[in-house]
Each structure stands twice: as structure tokens, then as C-alpha cells.
Amino acid sequence: MELPGEALRILKLNEAHNKWRREETVNLIASENLTSPLVDSLYLSDAMHRYAEGLPFKRFYQGTKYIDEIEVLCEELMRKLFKAKYIDVRPISGTIANGAVFYALGKSGDTTCICPLPGGGHVSHSKYGIMGALGLKPLPLPFNVEEFNIDVEGASKLIKEVRPKFVVLGASVILFPHPVKELGDAANEVGSKIIFDAAHVLGLIAGGKYPNPLSEGANVVTSSTHKTFPGPQGGVILTNEEEIYKKVKKVVFPVFVSNHHLHRLAATAMAAVEMLYFGEAYASQIIKNAKRLAECLYNRGFKVLGEKKGFTETHQVLLDVRELGGGTKVALMLEKANIIVNKNMLPWDRPEDIKNPSGIRIGVQEVTRIGMREGDMEVLAEYFYKVLIKREDPAKVAEEVREFRGKFKELLYTFK
Ligand code: DSN
């Protein structure tokens, strides 16, 4: 039988998406990345059809003997990479990892402290996300806009006052390392735990270019595995404390996952091997590129946050685009020019500003993976300038961007 119209439409849309996002556009979404062909080859496997509830070698299903070995190997590699004693690789996303840890460490009605949403906190940490759904009561920590970071003095005071069950650090917008050590001291004093959500910076930690939160005093790290860490979409929990691990593993299954999407495991393990061998070079180039892009944008008249501190120490660059029409308009204009970013709240935005926040968030981890270096950041900044300040026709710039993107055919920081 010939393929029916519906099937052809699915194929066509999928092909169009792949061509657009992989060949024609420059992707600067800070929470995404590309997996290598090696990782891709493992992801599309029979394991995607199988079930393996429970822990390796203690499953509720037969047929998992190789999956069990792969899961154990994935755990070993990730433990080595992040210098952690205990790990759970079963959460299927960062939000699920957060849910499991919040549920294991707190109970409905408990007070917690978080990085405020406009300061970059993730929605899962907030009353709108899994934190709120679990009945936990998150209080935003004070945020210092100049420093683009949590205000240590104010936050320590608040932690000592409210004695939260736990404090969640780490964020979706993070230019500079959060003060884990300093707030860990305050938390310790009142018996609170520190959870660090490393989703955005996991790859930088693997490469030794962002402080390892476990060494800085975090009790537990949650993360996704597909931002600066270039694995397939998934989640992970890391800790050095047996008591926490025991609680968490009982919650991940059966509360937050039944099956844990088994084709992720070999692919995540291979991404960990890539990071063991290439992580330092990759993380270091990401940060060089982010700094250079920030400088180039600043030199062209953009309002780049974090100026006093050298703009960024991560993969991210933040622009205040209020004078250019706001985050929504700017993100759409850039999309028309084949540059993909997302609009983002900035620290002064109110909840009602979510539809047109002040900022856009840029991440350079994906363009770094396809081989862009500092000189290429000049080129990208010039495209921003042409579209947003010179107001050139975005369709014309889109052609230039498509041609520029076409030069980067390889994917680096993997085995050939
Ligand atoms: N929403 C993602 C981000 O863009 O940061 C994290 O889950």
C-alpha cells in the first residue's frame, strides 16, 4: 500500500523541522544541545521498546540482563565524572529529578527557599511547578541585580530566620556561580539541606569549569542531561550521602517513573565518556565563546547583563531588550532571521510580564559543539546588530545566517 496522505504529511513536517533546525538556523537556546552521531546511534535501539522497572538486577521484568549492565555502567561513568558516591539515572527529566528529591526531603506544608523566578529560578522550583504541587511553600531568596546572583547576606538571614526544610540553588538563567558554600554554611546552622539544580551547568561541571556543587557543600544535585552536558533528554540525581540516596531511590520508582526510557541509558553513558575525554576542552571553549559574544554585543550597543563581572562565567549571555521592543518581539525578529533564542524574564520583571519579558537568553553550547570559536561570535553579534539595531530585512539576514550555518558540518568533542 502506498503511504496515505497523513503519513506523508508527518514525514514532510519532520523533514522540514530537521532541515530548518539542523542546517539553516543558528540555535542559541540555552537549554538545548546536539548529541553526537555516536550517541544518536545508541539512542535508536531496541531498548526503547522495553520495560525495566526497579533497580539493575532487581527488576520487575525479564529480558533486561544487558540493560542492567548498561545502567550500572552509566552510573559508574557519571559517578566518576561528577565525583559522587551515589547516583540515580532513572529520572526521565530534570523536573522529574527535582520532584523526586523534593518529595524525598520535604513534606506538604514545609517551607523551602529558592532562587526567584525572575532571577532565573526554574518553574519546577516554584509554587507553579512540582514544588507547589507537592504542597511545599517556596520562599524566594533576595536577589542582587548588579551581581546577577543571590544576595548572600540577605539570603543567609532569611534561611536562618525561616529554617527551611531545604534550599534550592541553581537556575535556568545563571551567569555566575551561585553561592553554594556560603549558603551551605547558613543552611547547616539551622539543619536545612542544599539542593543544587545543575541542569544548565552540568557539562561545565563535567569539564571542571564550574564549581562542583557537591564539593562546595550541596547535599544533593539534580539535573537534566541535555544542556551543556550533551546527552539525550533525561535526568539524574547525585549525592554523597547514603541516607539521602536511600530515600530518593525509593521515590524515583514507583512515585516519579515506572519505566525510565531505557534507550537513554547507553546514549547517556556514551555522552559521559565523551565528557571524560573532551569535557574540559568543550567547557572551556563554551565559556570563551559566551564571553566573546557578550563583548561583541556590548560593543555594538546592546544592553548585556553582568557587565561589571565580565558578563558571564557560563554558557549564557543575557540581553535587556526593553528598548528594542521587549523579549517577545526580539525573539520573533531573530527567528525570522534564522537565529533561535528564547525570551526570558529579567530580575525586575513582574509575573504579569511573562508574555513580554524584558530579556532574551542566549546559550552558546550548541554552536560551540558544531565548531564555532571566538571569531564566529563576532559574526553572530553582527547578525543581531543588523536585525535588531540597523533593522535590516530579517529575510535577507536569514539567507546570510543560513549560509554561515552551512559552514559548520562537523560535530566536535566526540570520537571520530
Ligand atoms: N525550560 C528549560 C530551560 O529552558 O531552561 C529547563 O527545563
Side-chain angles (χ1 to χ4, degrees):
M1 184 183 168
E2 272 185 24
L3 284 177
E6 298 91 325
L8 290 172
R9 184 154 164 69
I10 295 166
L11 289 172
K12 212 171 139 196
L13 283 172
N14 194 51
E15 192 187 325
H17 169 85
N18 286 341
K19 188 167 183 328
W20 187 48
R21 293 297 299 270
R22 289 298 283 261
E23 296 173 23
E24 301 178 341
T25 51
V26 166
N27 185 41
L28 296 170
I29 301 278
S31 50
E32 298 177 356
N33 210 331
L34 296 173
T35 42
S36 66
L38 189 58
V39 169
D40 291 346
S41 70
L42 293 162
Y43 195 65
L44 191 65
S45 94
D46 177 77
M48 72 198 287
H49 310 109
R50 306 301 164 203
Y51 265 92
E53 287 170 354
L55 288 165
F57 302 106
K58 291 178 203 157
R59 305 292 194 190
F60 291 87
Y61 293 82
Q62 297 316 118
T64 66
K65 62 184 180 184
Y66 297 113
I67 298 288
D68 290 343
E69 281 196 52
I70 289 170
E71 188 165 325
V72 167
L73 185 54
C74 182
E75 289 173 347
E76 270 171 28
L77 288 160
M78 296 289 267
R79 276 206 305 266
K80 183 170 173 190
L81 199 50
F82 297 108
K83 300 175 185 64
K85 277 198 197 145
Y86 306 99
I87 184 159
D88 201 316
V89 293
R90 294 173 300 165
I92 56 168
S93 72
T95 291
I96 293 294
N98 279 337
V101 171
F102 298 167
Y103 187 78
L105 298 188
K107 61 178 188 319
S108 181
D110 284 344
T111 299
T112 65
C113 288
I114 59 166
C115 175
L117 285 185
H122 189 248
V123 67
S124 63
H125 309 169
S126 76
K127 64 181 179 188
Y128 308 108
I130 187 71
M131 180 80 86
L134 291 172
L136 294 155
K137 307 279 177 223
L139 283 180
L141 294 166
F143 195 83
N144 182 325
V145 181
E146 283 278 295
E147 299 283 317
F148 206 88
N149 213 328
I150 292 160
D151 168 48
V152 173
E153 209 181 304
S156 301
K157 194 163 163 269
L158 184 70
I159 291 168
K160 287 179 198 169
E161 241 169 61
V162 303
R163 308 167 78 91
K165 197 74 187 179
F166 54 79
V167 179
V168 186
L169 301 177
S172 290
V173 179
I174 183 159
L175 296 177
F176 307 107
H178 276 184
V180 173
K181 191 177 170 319
E182 295 80 347
L183 298 189
D185 292 344
N188 271 341
E189 249 186 77
V190 293
S192 307
K193 302 282 183 213
I194 298 275
I195 300 169
F196 187 88
D197 183 338
H200 270 267
V201 293
L202 195 70
L204 305 179
I205 297 169
K209 301 296 170 194
Y210 185 102
N212 186 330
L214 291 177
S215 323
E216 299 259 294
N219 302 93
V220 54
V221 167
T222 58
S223 189
S224 54
T225 51
H226 49 266
K227 298 179 171 71
T228 51
F229 184 89
Q233 294 198 342
V236 65
I237 299 166
L238 300 147
T239 181
N240 283 326
E241 297 175 36
E242 189 180 8
E243 200 188 323
I244 291 183
Y245 172 67
K246 280 186 174 163
K247 284 186 190 163
V248 163
K249 79 172 175 182
K250 282 194 209 139
V251 167
V252 171
F253 172 81
V255 182
F256 282 88
V257 296
S258 76
N259 196 38
H260 47 289
H261 301 185
L262 309 177
H263 56 308
R264 281 188 311 116
L265 299 171
T268 306
M270 191 59 81
V273 178
E274 290 176 333
M275 291 307 273
L276 278 168
Y277 285 82
F278 305 106
E280 191 180 347
Y282 180 38
S284 152
Q285 190 61 47
I286 288 173
I287 294 173
K288 282 188 211 159
N289 283 352
K291 282 179 181 291
R292 178 62 73 84
L293 180 60
E295 282 160 19
C296 294
L297 289 166
Y298 181 82
N299 292 340
R300 283 167 175 78
F302 287 95
K303 287 203 165 149
V304 188
L305 273 77
E307 182 198 340
K308 286 204 178 110
K309 296 179 70 189
F311 301 113
T312 181
E313 291 296 333
T314 69
H315 58 306
Q316 295 186 4
V317 176
L318 271 188
L319 300 185
D320 172 0
V321 292
R322 282 175 294 181
E323 287 170 9
L324 298 167
T328 303
K329 183 174 172 195
V330 163
L332 286 169
M333 283 168 80
L334 289 169
E335 187 185 49
K336 283 191 186 137
N338 277 340
I339 294 173
I340 311 294
V341 298
N342 67 281
K343 62 184 169 196
N344 223 100
M345 305 247 278
L346 294 181
W348 51 82
D349 283 330
R350 302 155 304 164
E352 57 270 34
D353 296 327
I354 187 116
K355 289 206 173 124
N356 186 24
S358 302
I360 60 167
R361 183 186 67 165
I362 299 169
V364 298
Q365 67 295 337
E366 184 167 322
V367 293
T368 305
R369 194 116 209 259
I370 59 171
M372 289 194 194
R373 300 179 75 86
E374 289 95 317
D376 303 306
M377 298 302 110
E378 288 275 355
V379 179
L380 291 184
E382 188 61 21
Y383 292 141
F384 274 70
Y385 177 70
K386 283 182 178 181
V387 176
L388 300 174
I389 296 181
K390 271 177 86 187
R391 301 277 170 167
E392 281 189 15
D393 178 8
K396 183 173 154 270
V397 182
E399 279 312 308
E400 293 175 38
V401 172
R402 189 199 314 263
E403 200 179 311
F404 179 64
R405 175 64 181 87
K407 293 182 188 160
F408 299 90
K409 298 197 189 313
E410 244 193 304
L411 194 133
L412 307 186
Y413 312 106
T414 183
F415 304 93
K416 300 288 173 226

